[in-house]
């Protein structure tokens, strides 16, 4: 009797018109369903005439119903309370957008967005949640100030406010709908909030700001490793790396590695200067985030992780472990973990750092402990420094 076709890609799904036989079967199935439901209704509602419910039985039934209802309410209340506690512990939904004087742009950004096709069968999520650090709740006033601007206009010159929020744990920051400040030429004169307007001034700072190209080309102490030696120990298989710490604030390490056809991403914050501008001006990649942030990279992607600071063991051991495990996570098997002149202070702190490193089972390609006087420390004494070149093992 014909058919209706629905074209799906290269195939065709066909829906045949119902025949007389199939219609009879459908009517029979419908009658069976109705009969079954009527029988069930009769069975549940029928009560023999000789069966009498006494007041005592009725009272017991009422009492049981009340208890069951109370238990259900208590379970529901407990589930809601546990959900609130979990949300507070995780920092999820703790940013109260109903508070007064909160920027409308922030409220708009934090709104949850339902998935257009409903619940995702693979992940189970039903909505997209804005990615904002849970510690932003503690700095809601500053965050609201950061999100106060003219839509589609120029962004405020507030890089110092942005960094202040990041250092308070408020990262990632929300996106904004304004145009970032553009400059025709990178220079100190374009920076706001800085006392120095030239390189000589910056070099007088305690940590300096020197473009020392010789550090990785010619050793000045036994703790200094040369780039060519490190690449050779990596069997010339070093292609991409991650540079952690303030020791490469000008991007010198990344720039020298680029000459060896190695791509380096440099972690940076703006300390006394807009370090990210300097690094980008040299044609290398700056990554603006604090060391408390989980590194935004997939597992086992880097051939080299180079660390110049951030491992000072004066902090809590657990916090140092979090950093070490995250650095290890992004380093591939066989990759090199380069500890470059890590300040330990004294032998005791050096032993503490050594014990932590030994947990990872790295192969020690080079391990040098030395002393040198560091004016930045301020004590005028010889301080203990550790340099090491480690290779990540295969773990089962």
């Amino acid at each position: 009797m014909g058919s209706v076709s629905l074209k799906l890609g290269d195939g065709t799904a066909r829906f045949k018109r119902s025949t007389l036989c199939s219609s009879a079967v459908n009517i029979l199935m419908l009658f069976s369903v109705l009969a079954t439901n009527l029988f069930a209704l009769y069975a549940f509602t029928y009560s023999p005439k000789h069966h009498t419910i006494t007041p005592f039985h009725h009272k017991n039934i009422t009492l049981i119903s009340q208890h069951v209802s109370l238990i259900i309410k208590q379970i529901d209340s407990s589930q809601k309370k546990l959900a609130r506690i979990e949300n507070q512990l995780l920092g999820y939904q703790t940013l109260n957008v109903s508070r007064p004087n909160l920027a409308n742009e922030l409220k708009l950004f934090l709104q949850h967005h339902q998935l257009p096709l409903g619940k995702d069968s693979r992940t189970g999520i039903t909505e997209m949640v804005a990615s904002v650090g849970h510690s932003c709740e503690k700095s809601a006033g500053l965050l609201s100030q950061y999100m106060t601007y003219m839509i589609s206009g120029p962004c405020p010159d507030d890089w110092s406010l942005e960094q202040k929020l990041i250092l308070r744990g408020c990262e990632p920051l929300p996106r904004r709908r304004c145009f970032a400040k553009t400059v025709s030429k990178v220079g100190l004169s374009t920076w706001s909030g800085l006392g120095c307007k030239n390189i000589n001034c910056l070099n007088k700072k305690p940590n300096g700001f020197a473009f020392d190209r010789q550090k990785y080309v010619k050793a000045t102490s036994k703790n200094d490793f040369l780039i060519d030696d490190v690449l050779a120990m990596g069997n010339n298989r070093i292609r991409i790396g991650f540079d952690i710490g303030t020791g490469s604030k000008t991007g010198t390490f990344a720039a020298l590695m680029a000459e060896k056809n190695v791509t380096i991403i440099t972690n940076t914050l703006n300390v006394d200067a807009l370090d990210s501008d300097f690094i980008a001006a040299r044609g290398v990649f700056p990554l603006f985030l604090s060391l408390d942030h989980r590194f935004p990279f997939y597992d086992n992607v880097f051939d080299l992780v180079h660390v110049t600071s951030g491992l000072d063991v004066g902090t809590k051991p657990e916090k140092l472990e979090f950093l070490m495990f995250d650095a290890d996570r992004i380093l591939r098997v066989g990759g090199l973990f380069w500890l470059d002149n890590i300040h330990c202070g004294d032998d005791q702190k050096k032993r503490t750092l050594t014990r932590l490193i030994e947990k990872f089972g790295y192969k020690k390609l080079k391990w040098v402990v030395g002393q040198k006087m560091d004016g930045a420390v301020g004590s005028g004494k010889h301080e203990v420094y550790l340099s090491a070149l480690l290779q990540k093992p295969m773990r089962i």
Side-chain angles (χ1 to χ4, degrees), residues 24-199:
V25 172
N26 289 336
I27 293 173
L28 180 61
M29 291 179 63
L30 178 60
F31 175 78
S32 300
V33 171
L34 289 174
T36 303
N37 283 305
L38 289 173
F39 178 77
L41 180 63
Y42 173 77
F44 280 107
T45 58
Y46 173 75
S47 178
K49 294 182 180 180
H50 64 275
H51 182 74
T52 305
I53 300 178
T54 64
F56 177 75
H57 291 150
H58 186 273
K59 183 177 180 181
N60 282 347
I61 293 173
T62 303
L63 186 61
I64 292 173
S65 299
Q66 291 175 348
H67 278 291
V68 171
S69 178
L70 181 61
I71 291 172
I72 293 174
K73 290 181 180 179
Q74 289 177 342
I75 292 174
D76 183 62
S77 176
S78 298
Q79 288 177 338
K80 292 180 179 178
K81 186 178 294 185
L82 286 173
R84 286 196 301 269
I85 294 174
E86 183 181 20
N87 289 339
Q88 291 174 358
L89 290 174
L90 296 177
Y92 180 72
Q93 291 182 335
T94 56
L95 192 59
N96 183 11
V97 296
S98 64
R99 67 172 64 192
N101 302 323
L102 205 63
N104 289 330
E105 279 290 277
L106 179 58
K107 295 179 181 179
L108 185 62
F109 179 80
L110 292 175
Q111 285 182 358
H112 295 190
H113 301 281
Q114 297 294 326
L115 295 180
L117 299 180
K119 184 178 180 180
D120 183 80
S121 59
R122 292 175 297 178
T123 62
I125 63 174
T126 59
E127 58 186 6
M128 297 298 294
V129 182
S131 179
V132 177
H134 70 275
S135 293
C136 293
E137 167 68 14
K138 300 176 182 178
S139 305
L142 291 177
L143 184 62
S144 182
Q145 180 182 343
Y146 173 76
M147 292 298 290
T148 301
Y149 55 87
M150 181 183 297
I151 299 174
S152 298
C155 291
D157 187 8
D158 56 359
W159 67 267
S160 58
L161 173 62
E162 179 180 351
Q163 179 159 294
K164 184 182 295 184
L165 284 166
I166 289 175
L167 293 176
R168 291 187 178 191
C170 181
E171 58 179 338
L173 289 169
R175 291 170 173 167
R176 299 198 290 190
R177 296 187 293 171
C178 58
F179 294 103
K181 181 181 179 181
T182 57
V183 293
S184 57
K185 183 179 180 180
V186 177
L188 293 176
S189 60
T190 64
W191 297 348
S192 62
L194 294 175
C196 287
K197 296 297 181 182
N198 57 67
I199 295 295

Side-chain angles (χ1 to χ4, degrees), residues 235-377:
N235 297 321
N236 295 315
R237 295 179 56 196
I238 307 299
R239 304 156 301 161
I240 55 174
F242 185 41
D243 188 15
I244 304 173
T246 59
S248 299
K249 60 194 299 183
T250 59
T252 297
F253 176 76
L256 291 173
M257 291 293 276
E259 296 176 0
K260 305 293 183 179
N261 294 321
V262 180
T263 301
I264 298 293
I265 298 176
T266 303
N267 157 246
T268 182
L269 282 173
N270 295 328
V271 181
D272 296 325
L274 293 183
D275 302 337
S276 297
D277 284 9
F278 263 115
I279 293 173
R282 302 185 74 178
V284 289
F285 191 101
L287 183 64
F288 188 65
L289 84 167
S290 72
L291 291 182
D292 289 326
H293 193 293
R294 183 180 187 268
F295 298 135
F297 308 112
Y298 193 63
D299 302 351
N300 306 297
V301 294
F302 287 105
D303 304 312
L304 172 72
V305 173
H306 175 247
V307 182
T308 56
S309 64
L311 297 185
D312 43 340
V313 294
T315 58
K316 293 182 179 180
E318 296 81 6
K319 192 169 185 178
L320 179 58
E321 286 188 14
F322 278 119
L323 176 62
M324 283 287 294
F325 273 96
D326 203 26
D328 177 83
R329 175 185 63 82
I330 62 177
L331 182 65
R332 67 166 174 83
V333 173
L336 301 184
F337 191 22
W338 183 355
L339 302 180
D340 186 2
N341 284 277
I342 302 300
H343 175 246
C344 299
D346 53 36
D347 287 331
Q348 177 60 40
K349 292 181 180 179
K350 185 263 297 181
R351 286 193 291 269
T352 301
L353 180 58
T354 301
R355 284 194 297 268
L356 173 59
I357 293 173
E358 289 176 346
K359 286 184 179 181
F360 294 86
Y362 292 123
K363 180 180 179 181
K364 295 181 180 179
L365 302 181
K366 293 189 72 173
W367 184 276
V368 178
V369 177
Q371 291 187 348
K372 62 180 181 179
M373 186 174 294
D374 193 340
V377 177

